[in-house]
Amino acid sequence: MNIFALEVWDDEGQKCTFYTVRWDDSDENETDRFFDKYDAIPELKTATQQLLSFVLDSVGDDYGAIDALFNRAENEVTGLPNTGRVTVKQILFAYPNFPLRLYALRINNRSDIVVLFNGGIKSAWTNQESKDIHLKWVEACQFAKRIEDALKDGEITIDENKRKIVSTSGDDEIFL
């Protein structure tokens, strides 16, 4: 796998800090690429905005990355939004036939640090059959494995007090 940067995407939520990845030779991170691409498609604009609200409001501010909202396990990553009908504190989260998937990794299964990747249109029953997202899903799984290996090997650690991922080398930027 090529070198990529692990960088903060949004750290203003009350419950969760979001990270993303950016290829070393790219100016735009993978999560922004996802939202920019699908927000520009008129028939997907509403779904894109619903997913952005789910991430920033429901996960970022209201509940964090709790199991109920991260219940769509897809190998090393989780597909967002959640699957099925989930009620959290009297709020129903249901996304039947939702057209988009955004892939994410909860760091050490914590509810307060999530890495968001890319995704796409869910056009078939499985990721393997969905032409638009299959490669993004494989890529997200590879990113997730590399991040988890870096945590296990001590290349990066969690700053518990600041809800932050830090490089053990002391660098401000994290390249994996």
Side-chain angles (χ1 to χ4, degrees):
M1 176 170 254
N2 296 333
I3 294 175
F4 65 92
L6 180 63
E7 55 192 29
V8 172
W9 186 70
D10 182 279
D11 62 355
E12 296 179 13
Q14 298 295 311
K15 300 279 186 174
C16 189
T17 298
F18 295 101
Y19 282 79
T20 188
V21 294
R22 179 184 43 80
W23 289 110
D24 189 34
D25 60 354
S26 178
D27 292 334
E28 189 174 29
N29 68 61
E30 291 299 297
T31 306
D32 285 345
R33 288 178 64 183
F34 171 84
F35 283 112
D36 290 347
K37 178 178 180 177
Y38 295 105
D39 192 56
I41 300 172
E43 55 272 13
L44 293 173
K45 190 171 191 67
T46 298
T48 304
Q49 291 172 352
Q50 287 174 334
L51 187 53
L52 182 61
S53 176
F54 172 81
V55 169
L56 293 176
D57 299 333
S58 300
V59 177
D61 275 333
D62 298 336
Y63 307 107
I66 59 174
D67 291 343
L69 301 180
F70 277 68
N71 67 359
R72 189 186 301 271
E74 300 186 17
N75 290 6
E76 289 84 1
V77 295
T78 300
L80 299 176
N82 59 279
T83 186
R85 298 171 57 87
V86 175
T87 302
V88 180
K89 296 184 181 177
Q90 300 178 336
I91 302 296
L92 175 65
F93 292 90
Y95 299 92
N97 304 314
F98 198 76
L100 298 173
R101 288 291 181 277
L102 176 65
Y103 296 108
L105 170 69
R106 290 192 307 174
I107 296 296
N108 293 342
N109 286 322
R110 298 167 58 108
S111 65
D112 62 347
I113 302 176
V114 170
V115 181
L116 299 172
F117 302 110
N118 203 322
I121 299 170
K122 181 71 185 243
S123 60
W125 185 252
T126 68
N127 289 334
Q128 293 84 348
E129 296 169 342
S130 294
K131 184 181 82 167
D132 188 59
I133 62 171
H134 179 70
L135 290 177
K136 293 300 178 189
W137 169 68
V138 169
E139 188 176 78
C141 289
Q142 291 172 341
F143 283 131
K145 179 148 180 31
R146 178 66 184 100
I147 292 165
E148 289 175 336
D149 287 348
L151 282 162
K152 190 174 13 172
D153 296 342
E155 288 179 69
I156 56 176
T157 59
I158 306 299
D159 181 332
E160 301 285 341
N161 298 324
K162 297 181 181 174
R163 218 172 56 194
K164 186 175 177 182
I165 301 171
V166 294
S167 170
T168 54
S169 67
D171 294 337
D172 287 337
E173 294 185 299
I174 300 172
F175 287 99
L176 301 173

